[in-house]
Amino acid sequence: AYGKRGEVYQSIDLLKSLEDYHYALSLHRGDFLPLLLRFLGNVYNRAGFKSKADFYSHESYALDRDSMNYTLRSAFYEETVGNFENALNLYKRYYAQDTSNIYALWYIGNIYVYLEQYDMAIEWFRRLLKHPERPAFSNVVKYNRIGLAYWHNGYKEDARKYFDKHVDILTNLDELGRTAGDPCRNAYEIAGVQAFLGEPDDVYEKLRQAGLCEKWDRYMRMLVNNDAMFRQYKEDPVFQSFVKDVEVKYLTEHERIRQWLEENGML
């Protein structure tokens, strides 16, 4: 029960999530323990404590020897802090362990987008789109990155189809009262498509909506500073204000957790 509540708190309050996961770990000694350790590492990663995230990921691996999961976590933690080359190498190692894994195709293509190597990105995304499991591909925050790869390789009509699909999914999620990730993430993702396609009035309104979010994590901090969707807006004062807001909210939460760790002798 504490583990499940910790999972719920991941999108609401990272400190409460950490408290619940640590308490769950103090109670549990069974087969669920490696998963609890991984979840705990994920929260520390979101809070900006990569060394602790790496530690708990390794503790999980030491128990279940799940090398694929360990490689995936390591890659994602490198991505979260913007170490894209390291992340790429690890994601490729993850892919080599199971070349039928559709998510590995996404992870690699996405990193190539961050690296602005769009010729390589489209190669991996095309493999993804041809994959037999694509209809059941669950993570929705993806089609904008595929659109970017197609756009920069000259397939603008195809790119617009993926951008439209991305916005349609997020709009439907809004209508259902759901989110694609962190609270307010839907608005940010839609703003990115509008920014890339040159629709400034809508961009500002969506960024205003995204700015209502009370908390942002370390991954979001990385994303807003490296998001190619907003390349034309890097110097825009409204976008700069949003990036600053994300930074302040992330650092506030990071500091709150750092103080808690110090008070409990965990840092």
Side-chain angles (χ1 to χ4, degrees), residues 45-256:
N45 183 61
R46 294 186 66 176
F49 296 89
K50 182 177 179 296
S51 61
K52 294 188 80 66
D54 288 335
F55 171 79
Y56 286 108
S57 180
H58 188 270
E59 289 292 292
S60 175
Y61 171 68
L63 290 176
D64 65 10
R65 311 306 289 181
D66 187 340
S67 60
M68 281 197 68
N69 225 313
Y70 179 65
T71 303
L72 176 60
R73 298 297 166 189
S74 299
F76 182 67
Y77 297 163
E78 291 294 323
E79 178 185 345
T80 301
V81 296
N83 293 336
F84 299 127
E85 292 287 355
N86 290 349
L88 179 62
N89 291 334
L90 287 165
Y91 281 133
K92 285 186 175 181
R93 186 184 304 172
Y94 174 68
Y95 172 73
Q97 291 173 304
D98 179 7
T99 57
S100 67
N101 189 319
I102 189 173
Y103 289 95
L105 302 175
W106 157 253
Y107 295 135
I108 295 170
N110 185 49
I111 292 295
Y112 276 124
V113 168
Y114 279 123
L115 293 170
E116 299 185 10
Q117 297 180 29
Y118 297 108
D119 56 334
M120 295 299 297
I122 197 172
E123 176 184 328
W124 288 89
F125 286 149
R126 279 174 168 166
R127 295 187 199 180
L128 182 153
L129 294 168
K130 294 177 182 177
H131 197 285
E133 295 180 14
R134 188 188 65 80
F137 194 39
S138 62
N139 194 325
V140 300
V141 189
K142 290 180 171 15
Y143 289 104
N144 59 341
R145 319 298 279 178
I146 296 173
L148 271 174
Y150 273 83
W151 185 281
H152 286 288
N153 280 279
Y155 303 100
K156 294 188 176 182
E157 185 175 340
D158 289 327
R160 284 184 176 274
K161 290 178 182 178
Y162 289 116
F163 289 146
D164 289 344
K165 185 176 181 67
H166 188 69
V167 172
D168 287 345
I169 290 172
L170 294 170
T171 301
N172 288 336
L173 285 174
D174 271 342
E175 292 173 355
L176 293 169
R178 299 176 183 174
T179 179
D182 296 297
C184 316
R185 181 75 176 269
N186 295 2
Y188 171 79
E189 291 287 336
I190 294 173
V193 174
Q194 294 168 337
F196 189 81
L197 295 177
E199 301 167 357
D201 293 338
D202 292 335
V203 171
Y204 296 150
E205 172 57 22
K206 288 299 180 184
L207 285 177
R208 184 195 67 78
Q209 293 175 20
L212 298 175
C213 198
E214 295 180 3
K215 295 182 176 70
W216 291 110
D217 66 10
R218 182 65 181 82
Y219 187 86
M220 189 65 187
R221 180 200 198 193
M222 180 281 296
L223 178 60
V224 299
N225 282 286
N226 294 278
D227 197 344
M229 301 300 296
F230 286 95
R231 171 176 285 185
Q232 299 176 54
Y233 281 73
K234 290 298 184 184
E235 305 302 322
D236 183 278
V238 175
F239 182 68
Q240 286 183 338
S241 177
F242 176 76
V243 172
K244 183 177 180 180
D245 181 65
V246 170
E247 177 79 7
V248 169
K249 289 174 179 176
Y250 157 70
L251 289 175
T252 299
E253 189 72 352
H254 177 82
E255 178 61 19
R256 186 167 76 104

Side-chain angles (χ1 to χ4, degrees), residues 3-19:
K4 281 297 182 182
R5 191 171 70 173
E7 185 177 347
V8 173
Y9 271 130
Q10 283 195 47
S11 297
I12 304 170
D13 189 320
L14 293 179
L15 179 52
K16 288 184 178 180
S17 181
L18 289 173
E19 290 175 335

